[in-house]
Structures are given as C-alpha cells and as structure tokens.
Amino acid sequence: MIEEGKPLFLQIAERIEDSIVDGSLEEETKAPSTNELAAFYRINPATAAKGVAMLTDKGVLYKRRGIGMFVTAGARQALLGERRDAFAERYIDPLLAEARTLGLGPDDLAGMLRNRAASAPISTEGTPA
C-alpha cells in the first residue's frame, strides 16, 4: 500500500483525498486522527501529522478544537475540480497536440473516443457513487 519513492506524508494526504472523492469520507465528518493513521500505516505520527497539515493548509480539512479534524464543506467538489484540471493537463493537452500533428479535429477525436469507449470493457471502478 506504501509506494516507494514518494514521500509518506504525500501518500497519506492522497489517501485521505481519495476517500473524500470516492465519498467514503463525507464532508463535515470526522477525518481519521494522526494516531489512527500512524497505527494503520505503521508510520511515525509526525509523518501522518504532516500529511494532515498539508490538507489543512489546502483547506480540505479543518480542526474543531478538542474534537479532531473534519472534512471541509465543498472539499469533494474542490478536489474533483483539481483532479479534472490535472487530468486535462496530463492527458488532454498532449492528446490535442498530437491530434494537431496528425491533422485530426475535435469531431475526429470525439468519434475515436466514442468508438474506443464502445469497444472497451465496462467497468464501474473509480466511478463516484
């Protein structure tokens, strides 16, 4: 579950974000504590705290004094928007650049996507509930 070469605190933050995006950690609900994260992933609590602090700084989590960390209202939509932007940057922009090189227009690309989607196996994995 732990990826080599990527800082653990980033992996912790990404796992929490994944839980928010997939709906298993809902907005305005309590997020796992630093100690719970440290015990679950068998890491130093300071490392887990760094991942949680990163999400707090980002506005995804907020602290209720004496109670714990909670998911911010609107966090899911903000994370989805951020991921959509990253998706476009990582996949769509290079796709469009190559399409231009090949002389393909938007209609050509849309047709290719429809054809590929029609022949692709049906999967609900990663589909938001």
Side-chain angles (χ1 to χ4, degrees):
M1 194 181 261
I2 299 295
E3 296 175 37
E4 293 293 322
K6 183 183 265 190
L8 291 174
F9 75 93
L10 282 177
Q11 293 181 55
I12 295 299
E14 287 173 357
R15 296 263 171 18
I16 294 169
E17 286 182 344
D18 289 345
S19 295
I20 294 167
V21 168
D22 73 18
S24 59
L25 187 57
E26 295 178 5
E27 295 176 1
E28 297 298 338
T29 61
K30 192 174 187 303
S33 72
T34 298
N35 289 334
E36 290 169 334
L37 292 166
F40 183 79
Y41 291 107
R42 297 182 180 173
I43 60 172
N44 186 312
T47 302
K50 190 172 180 181
V52 169
M54 187 176 123
L55 294 176
T56 303
D57 293 343
K58 194 173 172 180
V60 173
L61 298 178
Y62 69 95
K63 185 175 186 172
R64 286 188 187 164
R65 193 170 180 88
I67 300 174
M69 302 302 291
F70 287 77
V71 179
T72 305
R76 184 171 188 274
Q77 284 305 316
L79 290 171
L80 284 171
E82 184 181 292
R83 287 186 177 192
R84 285 181 182 121
D85 290 345
F87 177 83
E89 208 171 284
R90 184 171 180 184
Y91 298 105
I92 304 299
D93 293 348
L95 173 77
L96 290 172
E98 182 66 10
R100 278 187 212 101
T101 301
L102 298 173
L104 298 171
D107 291 337
D108 300 316
L109 288 175
M112 292 172 86
L113 282 170
R114 276 191 297 278
N115 289 339
R116 293 288 181 158
S119 63
I122 296 173
S123 171
T124 58
E125 188 174 319
T127 304

